[in-house]
């Protein structure tokens, strides 16, 4: 029997692993998914192996024993080993590494696109626009690197039966270069992603605020609507509040359409405005019954006060008569028109009260409140005028009976200020001494007006009051200056 030679070589390399199918991020990336090991080639190899096995089973034993010798000669491709197979395996490994780098870059690009879209949705600042432009530039670099990778994959069929060692070496070099280029672009992408941190944090913060802000606006509108319903149930129309609430309906529609249509900053601003206005409507609706009751109380109170002032103004004429009889003209001439002015003010107040009552019945709350304020001002002016006549008579009676009391009161104020001005000093400050000296002179002149048969007591009283006011200003100035110096 002839000696059967052993076959050379080791265990054949495992079949090439197809790269994971990348998610489509761009036309270049999508195309790369179709460039893995062709199915037809794999099927051809598998079918050829199966055919070889079946042929061996059908041959006579002598022929089978002679086959190994045939495989070792004749210059045909050696199945188990050889330089070409080693180079094929290395090229396939380079292809797998390039596919992994391609997939990793694809994933990073898709994640970064989501971050860019988040920033664009929230931020329109120059920094955000620059980030978008930089991302587009990196996208072009990714497309270029992907094109080189695809071209390298398309240029070499590593499953070809007659693949030469030199072709496998060339394929490995080109695929390794494509992988390195993909890696460099991935590093550039990572650096860009790290630089987006502040912009992305700001955008995510605003997005985190979006849903709660919109929900607060909806709840505020609901609360305002419920408060308005309760107010109407109590018999109050609240038409103005209802109109204000209805005006917010388009804003609610815009909120429901979402930030995708109107933008995140605009939606946040709209939500805040709707919340603020709806809460104002709710507060006014809840306060409206109390406001109506307060207007009712003021109507009654001011009506009573107007009636009382009418009675009091009727007593001004007797007071004026006594002033004319006992004192000089200068003491009462400025009070001559008090009865006439008081009567006119009361008449106007009563007319405004009637208008306020009508506004209350028609539930024109703002008008009613404004009219009541006018009535109050008129009655205050009347009250002061009517009181002035009685107060004048009382003051003149007191000074006529004992003018010394007013004089001593004023002198005491001057002396107290002089002591304060000299405290801690050998000589007073001229800014303080001069007005105090003038006050003494003015008081002495006022005292002389009390001489004669018909003294002008009112002039005397106004002069002493003016002197005391001047002295009070000097005292206040001294204390402010010393307080500032101590600090």
């Amino acid at each position: 029997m002839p000696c059967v030679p052993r076959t050379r070589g080791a265990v054949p390399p495992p079949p090439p692993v197809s790269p994971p199918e990348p998610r489509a991020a761009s036309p270049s990336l999508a195309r790369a998914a179709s460039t893995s090991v062709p199915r037809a080639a794999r099927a051809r190899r598998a079918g050829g192996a199966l055919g070889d096995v079946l042929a061996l089973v059908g041959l006579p034993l002598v022929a089978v024993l002679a086959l190994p010798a045939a495989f070792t000669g004749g210059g045909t491709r050696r199945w188990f080993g050889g330089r070409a197979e080693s180079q094929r395996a290395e090229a396939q490994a380079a292809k797998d590494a390039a596919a992994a780098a391609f997939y990793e870059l694809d994933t990073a690009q898709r994640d970064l696109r989501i971050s860019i879209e988040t920033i664009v949705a929230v931020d329109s600042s120059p920094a955000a626009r620059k980030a978008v432009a930089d991302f587009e530039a990196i996208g072009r670099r990714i497309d270029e690197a992907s094109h080189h990778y695809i071209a390298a994959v398309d240029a070499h069929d590593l499953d070809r039966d007659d693949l030469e060692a030199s072709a496998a070496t060339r394929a490995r070099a080109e695929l390794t270069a494509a992988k390195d280029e993909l890696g460099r672009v991935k590093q550039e992408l990572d650096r860009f992603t790290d630089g987006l941190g502040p912009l992305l944090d700001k955008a995510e913060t605003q997005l985190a605020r979006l849903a709660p802000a919109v929900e607060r606006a909806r709840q505020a509108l609901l609360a305002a609507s419920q408060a308005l319903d309760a107010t109407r149930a109590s018999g109050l129309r609240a038409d103005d509040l209802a109109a204000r609430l209805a005006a917010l309906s388009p804003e609610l529609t815009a909120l429901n359409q979402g930030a995708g249509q109107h933008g995140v900053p605009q939606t946040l601003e709209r939500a805040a405005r709707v919340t603020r206005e709806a809460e104002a409507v709710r507060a006014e609706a809840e306060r409206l019954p109390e406001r109506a009751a307060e207007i009712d109380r003021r109507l009654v109170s001011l009506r009573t006060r107007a009636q009382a002032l009418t009675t009091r103004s009727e007593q001004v004429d007797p007071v004026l008569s006594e002033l004319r009889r006992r004192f000089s003209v200068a003491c009462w001439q400025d009070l001559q028109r008090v009865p006439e002015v008081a009567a006119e003010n009361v008449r106007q107040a009563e007319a405004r009260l009637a208008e306020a009552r009508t506004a209350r019945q028609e539930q024109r709350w703002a008008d009613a409140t404004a009219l009541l304020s006018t009535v109050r001002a008129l009655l205050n002016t009347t009250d002061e005028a009517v009181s002035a006549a009685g107060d004048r008579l009382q003051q003149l009676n007191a000074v006529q009976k004992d003018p010394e009391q007013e004089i001593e009161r004023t002198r005491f104020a001057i002396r107290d200020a002089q002591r304060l001005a000299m405290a801690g000093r050998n000589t007073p400050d001229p800014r303080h001494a001069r007005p105090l000296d003038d006050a003494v002179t003015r008081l002495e002149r006022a005292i002389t007006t009390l001489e004669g048969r018909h003294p002008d007591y009112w002039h005397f009283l106004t002069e002493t009051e003016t002197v005391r006011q001047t002295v009070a200003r000097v005292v206040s100035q001294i204390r402010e200056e010393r307080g500032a110096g101590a600090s």
Side-chain angles (χ1 to χ4, degrees), residues 150-215:
I150 294 169
V153 172
D154 288 346
H156 305 284
D157 182 6
L158 300 182
D159 293 322
R160 211 174 62 219
D161 292 338
D162 58 347
L163 181 68
E164 297 180 356
S166 59
T169 301
R170 215 167 33 252
R172 178 177 63 82
E174 293 181 9
L175 290 168
T176 300
K179 181 204 72 170
D180 293 341
E181 185 178 4
L182 292 169
R184 286 191 296 271
V185 177
K186 173 64 166 54
Q187 291 177 353
E188 183 180 347
L189 190 69
D190 290 341
R191 287 193 297 271
F192 177 72
T193 301
D194 293 339
L196 286 180
L199 285 175
L200 187 58
D201 290 342
K202 177 183 175 182
E204 289 177 344
T205 299
Q206 286 197 327
L207 285 176
R209 291 169 46 203
L210 183 61
V214 172
E215 182 60 23

Side-chain angles (χ1 to χ4, degrees), residues 213-267:
V214 172
E215 182 60 23
R216 282 194 299 271
R218 290 186 181 128
Q219 293 300 321
L221 285 170
L222 178 60
S225 178
Q226 292 174 343
L228 187 59
D229 291 342
T231 298
R232 286 172 162 175
S234 66
L236 301 175
R237 293 196 305 271
D239 294 338
D240 55 337
L241 296 179
R244 288 167 57 185
L245 189 60
L248 295 177
S249 179
E251 300 291 338
L252 178 60
T253 301
L255 287 176
N256 290 333
Q257 289 172 345
Q261 180 171 344
H262 299 283
V264 174
Q266 293 80 3
T267 302

Side-chain angles (χ1 to χ4, degrees), residues 69-78 162:
F71 284 125
T72 60
T76 60
R77 174 184 170 190
R78 291 171 293 190
D162 58 347

Side-chain angles (χ1 to χ4, degrees), residues 18-95:
S18 298
E21 184 180 349
R23 294 172 294 174
S26 65
S28 297
L29 300 183
R31 182 184 171 194
S34 64
T35 60
S36 56
V37 179
R39 295 181 179 177
R42 291 199 300 271
R44 185 171 63 251
R45 291 183 63 189
L50 179 59
D52 292 343
V53 172
L54 294 176
L56 288 173
V57 172
L59 288 175
L61 179 59
V62 176
V64 172
L65 293 177
L67 280 175
F71 284 125
T72 60
T76 60
R77 174 184 170 190
R78 291 171 293 190
W79 284 12
F80 304 103
R83 186 168 179 273
E85 287 302 319
S86 175
Q87 294 298 328
R88 184 199 302 271
E90 293 178 0
Q92 184 62 51
K95 181 178 180 180

Side-chain angles (χ1 to χ4, degrees), residues 327-334 392 456 458-459:
F327 300 99
S328 64
V329 174
C331 294
W332 49 262
Q333 62 181 353
D334 58 319
R392 179 77 56 86
D456 190 349
W458 183 241
H459 174 73

Side-chain angles (χ1 to χ4, degrees), residues 410 413-414 416-417 420 435-436 439 465-480:
T410 307
I414 295 173
D416 191 53
L420 180 63
L436 292 178
E465 177 63 25
T466 301
V467 168
R468 286 194 296 270
Q469 291 176 356
T470 300
V471 170
R473 285 195 297 270
V474 173
V475 170
S476 177
Q477 181 182 1
I478 294 172
R479 288 175 176 169
E480 289 178 359

